[in-house]
Amino acid sequence: MYNRDLIIDNPDKMIPMAHYIKKKYGNKMYSMAFTSHDGLFGSRKGNIHTVNQSSTKSLEFLLNEVGSDNLFIDQHAASKSSWLSNDFPMKAMGSLNWRGKWFEICDGIFFTRKITPNILSD
């Protein structure tokens, strides 16, 4: 992500590497956010967590209502007058319902209805 400061009430103020890359290369760089409505996520070492419930105003809630398992939204194809150009809640960071101007933070969003983590097997 870039322009992470556009996430409302962002607690950490971290500037990610993508911010510097986007600043240098502009539209030659494409940043995607990944998000899901439900499921499990975590690390390969077994720290598995349940995806937090989607806010009824979140992108995940709305996309889940569409009924597709996977969807992709390209901000370059979205109308500048669309509600997507405003701030809205999305769970792309740690499964929390953060509000932000997401299409000024990433170039595309990939939605998966239900995610499952990678788990090491014996």
Side-chain angles (χ1 to χ4, degrees):
M1 294 181 204
Y2 51 91
N3 294 334
R4 193 171 153 144
D5 56 316
L6 297 178
I7 298 172
I8 311 294
D9 298 326
N10 181 4
D12 62 19
K13 308 301 180 203
M14 190 230 349
I15 300 172
M17 179 65 75
H19 183 83
Y20 298 104
I21 295 170
K22 189 69 166 182
K23 191 173 184 179
K24 181 171 182 170
Y25 294 103
N27 286 336
K28 292 180 183 177
M29 187 273 257
Y30 193 93
S31 172
M32 282 188 44
F34 292 83
T35 191
S36 66
H37 183 262
D38 56 51
L40 301 171
F41 72 99
S43 71
R44 295 180 335 141
K45 295 181 181 181
N47 299 324
I48 307 301
H49 307 279
T50 301
V51 171
N52 290 314
Q53 184 173 359
S54 299
S55 158
T56 57
K57 297 180 180 179
S58 72
L59 182 67
E60 295 85 359
F61 182 86
L62 296 172
L63 294 179
N64 184 61
E65 294 294 303
V66 171
S68 295
D69 287 337
N70 300 294
L71 293 166
F72 173 69
I73 303 171
D74 179 10
Q75 69 106 331
H76 301 292
S79 167
K80 298 296 181 203
S81 62
S82 164
W83 65 269
L84 291 168
S85 64
N86 299 318
D87 66 76
F88 56 89
M90 187 170 77
K91 299 186 300 185
M93 292 176 32
S95 181
L96 298 173
N97 288 291
W98 292 98
R99 275 189 33 244
K101 289 193 164 202
W102 290 101
F103 279 151
E104 294 179 32
I105 298 168
C106 61
D107 298 304
I109 298 170
F110 189 87
F111 167 81
T112 300
R113 180 190 303 265
K114 184 174 184 176
I115 60 169
T116 56
N118 292 325
I119 299 173
L120 292 175
S121 60
D122 295 329

